[in-house]
């Protein structure tokens, strides 16, 4: 669905080529992939599609719960903690059906396309009907998300999530019954029915060490290993999770996951916030990835994770908008550096280029798309163009485009989004779903009723 059989030539006024910004770059696309890149073309070749501004590889949003978009702003009233926020989130989860989730997710993924996101990692755990009864198609909810991404024109890695318990040794609560397959074996059987397709990869997730009993972690890890699929896990987002894990197992969540084969180069720990030095070494040594979601982590008062230490230890960084308090991968990239400046009172922890790599090539790798996230021959033809003439981006010299993209631009500056050589956003307008704000309003309203 994301591929076009025709050949297209794009001319990029400025292109970020993973290390630097190059003016006047011509990109040839055939069958959805980049076939040639020429960087010595000051003027557009005849017939080329012109992308004015700074073109980046498509952005990867490595951690999403699409239905959290229905909570935007409404959860900003009052006080509380992650745990009180979670009660509100569960009340929305309870109202989802395959139809309402499809409608909401399509609008949310369209919002992502407008923000330059070409691939989303959907950490999906609302599997069954309220109360836990399976739908006639046991993957009706997952298929609704896959269809939503196709209709919004972006790629998806559906991280089908195993969620079996409310805490260590505790059954799911009433709200959590629809998340649970009861056993990891049953989760594995259901997930195995989902298949990769052009715009879709199927991956796995362990919701957290709270939600999957230790003796069943290996089943999920093996499922991912056999398929060489990405495996994600919420890891040490809250100190309460660490305390409960120590009480139940006498070790940290990272240690528990490592001992049950969950960590490794195809695994990504999401949040990785409250870690010991040993946890950081464990995660880094196995090249387990780190997905940070700094807007959500601030929003939920989680804390600031040791991302610089994790990267130094060998853990590649990816970024996600998670709860979708806002959907803006450039803001997520910027927040990494700015949070660290506040924490350390020094500047310069990441370069703009390093943060863009997290938002592009490393984010795609975390989602199982090793052939996306760069502008080079053979890569998937996924491109995101940032305006350099908006009120936010006008002024700086174009060769500092990476710095402008990370430290000045916002999602509102995304002018074009190309997925598999197909223009999904043109001049700031979604070409498949032109009324995205109305679709969002309608879908959110339907869940409030
Ligand atoms: Zn999450």
């Amino acid at each position: 669905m994301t591929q076009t059989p025709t050949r297209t030539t794009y001319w990029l006024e400025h292109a970020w080529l993973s290390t630097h910004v190059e003016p006047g770059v011509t990109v040839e696309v055939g069958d959805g992939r980049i076939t040639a890149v020429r960087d010595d073309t000051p003027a557009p070749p005849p017939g080329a599609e012109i992308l004015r501004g700074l073109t980046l590889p498509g952005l990867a949003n490595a951690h999403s719960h699409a239905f959290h978009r229905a909570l935007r702003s409404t959860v900003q009233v009052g006080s509380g903690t992650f745990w009180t926020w979670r009660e509100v989130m569960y009340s929305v989860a309870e109202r989802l059906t395959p139809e309402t989730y499809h409608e909401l997710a399509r609008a949310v993924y369209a919002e992502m396309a407008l923000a330059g996101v070409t691939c989303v990692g959907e950490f999906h755990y609302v599997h069954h009907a309220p109360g836990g009864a399976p739908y006639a198609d046991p993957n009706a909810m997952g298929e609704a998300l896959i269809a939503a991404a196709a209709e919004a024109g972006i790629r998806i890695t559906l991280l089908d999530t195993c969620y079996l318990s409310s805490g260590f040794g505790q059954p799911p609560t009433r709200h959590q019954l629809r998340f649970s397959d009861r056993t990891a074996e049953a989760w594995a059987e259901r997930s195995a029915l989902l298949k990769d397709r052009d715009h879709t990869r199927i991956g796995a997730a362990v919701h957290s060490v709270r939600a999957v009993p230790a003796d069943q972690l290996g089943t999920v890890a093996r499922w991912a290993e056999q398929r060489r699929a990405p495996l994600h896990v919420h890891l040490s987002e809250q100190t309460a999770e660490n305390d409960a894990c120590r009480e139940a197992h006498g070790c940290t969540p990272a240690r528990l996951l490592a001992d049950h084969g969950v960590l490794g180069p195809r695994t990504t720990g999401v949040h990785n916030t409250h870690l010991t030095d040993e946890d950081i070494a464990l995660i880094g040594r196995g090249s387990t990835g780190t997905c940070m979601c700094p807007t959500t982590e601030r929003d939920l008062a989680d804390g600031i994770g040791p991302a610089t230490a994790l990267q130094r230890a060998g853990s590649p960084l990816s970024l996600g908008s998670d709860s979708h308090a806002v959907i803006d991968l450039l803001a997520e990239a910027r927040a990494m550096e700015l949070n660290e400046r506040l924490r350390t009172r020094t500047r310069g922890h990441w370069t703009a280029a390093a943060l863009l790599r997290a938002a592009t090539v490393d984010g795609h790798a975390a989602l199982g798309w090793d052939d996306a996230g760069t502008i080079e021959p053979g890569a998937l033809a996924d491109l995101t163009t940032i305006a350099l003439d908006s009120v936010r981006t006008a002024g700086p010299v174009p060769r500092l485009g990476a710095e402008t993209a990370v430290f000045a631009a916002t999602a509102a500056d995304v002018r074009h989004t190309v997925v598999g050589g197909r223009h999904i956003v043109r001049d700031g307008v979604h070409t498949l779903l032109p009324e995205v704000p109305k679709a969002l309003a309608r879908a959110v309203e339907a869940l409030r009723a």
Side-chain angles (χ1 to χ4, degrees):
M1 74 93 220
T2 50
Q3 301 195 342
T4 168
T6 52
R7 303 190 69 78
T8 312
T9 301
Y10 286 97
W11 182 78
L12 286 38
E13 187 184 23
H14 302 280
W16 181 69
L17 300 177
S18 300
T19 52
H20 67 288
V21 172
E22 190 74 34
V25 173
T26 298
V27 173
E28 304 282 356
V29 173
D31 294 333
R33 285 184 188 271
I34 295 172
T35 56
V37 177
R38 293 197 308 278
D39 62 3
D40 54 349
T41 50
E49 287 241 29
I50 296 171
L51 301 182
R52 276 214 194 277
L54 170 70
T55 297
L56 314 170
L59 304 177
N61 189 357
H63 191 65
S64 161
H65 305 283
F67 76 91
H68 291 192
R69 175 63 177 79
L71 302 168
R72 186 178 291 181
S73 305
T74 59
V75 281
Q76 303 299 350
V77 180
S79 56
T81 64
F82 170 87
W83 305 102
T84 53
W85 168 87
R86 195 177 71 156
E87 287 308 309
V88 183
M89 184 266 279
Y90 281 171
S91 70
V92 172
E94 194 168 62
R95 289 196 285 273
L96 295 168
T97 66
E99 295 73 27
T100 57
Y101 205 5
H102 172 250
E103 191 183 347
L104 176 63
R106 182 175 52 192
V108 173
Y109 297 154
E111 179 183 355
M112 288 186 196
L114 287 163
V117 171
T118 55
C119 183
V120 61
E122 181 65 35
F123 198 106
H124 166 56
Y125 55 83
V126 189
H127 301 303
H128 306 299
Y135 289 105
D137 171 357
N139 285 311
M141 292 295 246
E143 291 291 352
L145 293 165
I146 290 170
E151 290 160 32
I154 68 171
R155 302 182 196 279
I156 185 170
T157 296
L158 188 77
L159 298 158
D160 194 289
T161 303
C162 188
Y163 195 130
L164 307 173
S165 51
S166 64
F168 296 92
Q170 290 166 13
T173 63
R174 181 174 64 82
H175 287 306
Q176 294 163 343
L177 285 172
R178 66 182 311 192
F179 309 161
S180 173
D181 291 289
R182 298 174 195 277
T183 66
E185 284 74 21
W187 166 86
E189 277 176 33
R190 181 185 52 71
S191 300
L193 301 173
L194 290 159
K195 301 294 177 205
D196 285 357
R197 49 209 96 159
D198 254 8
H199 78 298
T200 305
R201 296 272 178 279
I202 306 299
V206 167
H207 179 275
S208 56
V209 291
R210 287 184 274 119
V212 179
D215 61 0
Q216 300 191 57
L217 288 169
T219 303
V220 185
R222 276 191 300 279
W223 187 102
E225 177 65 36
Q226 283 161 2
R227 291 164 176 76
R228 310 210 57 72
L231 172 59
H232 286 215
V233 52
H234 288 131
L235 178 48
S236 288
E237 181 177 7
Q238 296 292 324
T239 53
E241 170 182 309
N242 287 9
D243 296 344
C245 187
R246 275 185 202 284
E247 197 169 311
H249 295 289
C251 65
T252 64
R255 178 83 256 172
L256 189 70
L257 293 169
D259 288 351
H260 289 83
V262 175
L263 302 188
R266 279 177 300 90
T267 299
T268 296
V270 181
H271 304 305
N272 288 356
T273 306
H274 301 288
L275 302 181
T276 65
D277 290 347
E278 193 209 338
D279 292 340
I280 293 169
L282 264 179
I283 291 166
R285 205 162 47 232
S287 301
T288 302
T290 294
C291 179
M292 290 293 183
C293 309
T295 300
T296 296
E297 289 148 9
R298 284 196 301 229
D299 188 57
L300 299 182
D302 287 347
I304 302 173
T308 49
L310 282 161
Q311 269 212 307
R312 270 198 306 277
S315 177
L317 177 69
S318 55
L319 299 168
S321 64
D322 190 1
S323 68
H324 310 316
V326 297
I327 294 175
D328 188 337
L329 266 286
L330 301 173
E332 301 300 339
R334 174 162 60 243
M336 292 304 301
E337 169 67 16
L338 297 187
N339 279 357
E340 205 60 22
R341 289 183 190 178
L342 275 179
R343 198 173 67 79
T344 62
R345 289 181 285 162
T346 58
R347 310 174 87 227
H349 305 277
W350 281 280
T351 62
L355 292 169
L356 284 183
R357 281 194 289 276
T360 56
V361 65
D362 290 345
H364 281 96
L367 297 177
W369 299 86
D370 293 332
D371 50 355
T374 57
I375 300 176
E376 60 184 17
L380 291 166
D382 298 354
L383 305 169
T384 294
T385 305
I386 312 280
L388 292 179
D389 57 0
S390 77
V391 286
R392 286 165 295 276
T393 58
V397 291
R399 78 179 158 73
L400 294 177
E403 283 72 15
T404 305
V406 171
F407 291 105
T410 72
D413 297 308
V414 171
R415 183 172 278 167
H416 304 289
T417 306
V418 173
V419 181
R422 186 163 70 139
H423 237 112
I424 300 301
V425 173
R426 189 188 294 277
D427 292 320
V429 177
H430 203 292
T431 60
L432 309 176
L433 303 165
E435 306 242 26
V436 179
K438 280 189 186 150
L440 281 164
R442 211 171 35 237
V444 169
E445 187 59 36
L447 288 167
R448 259 193 224 125

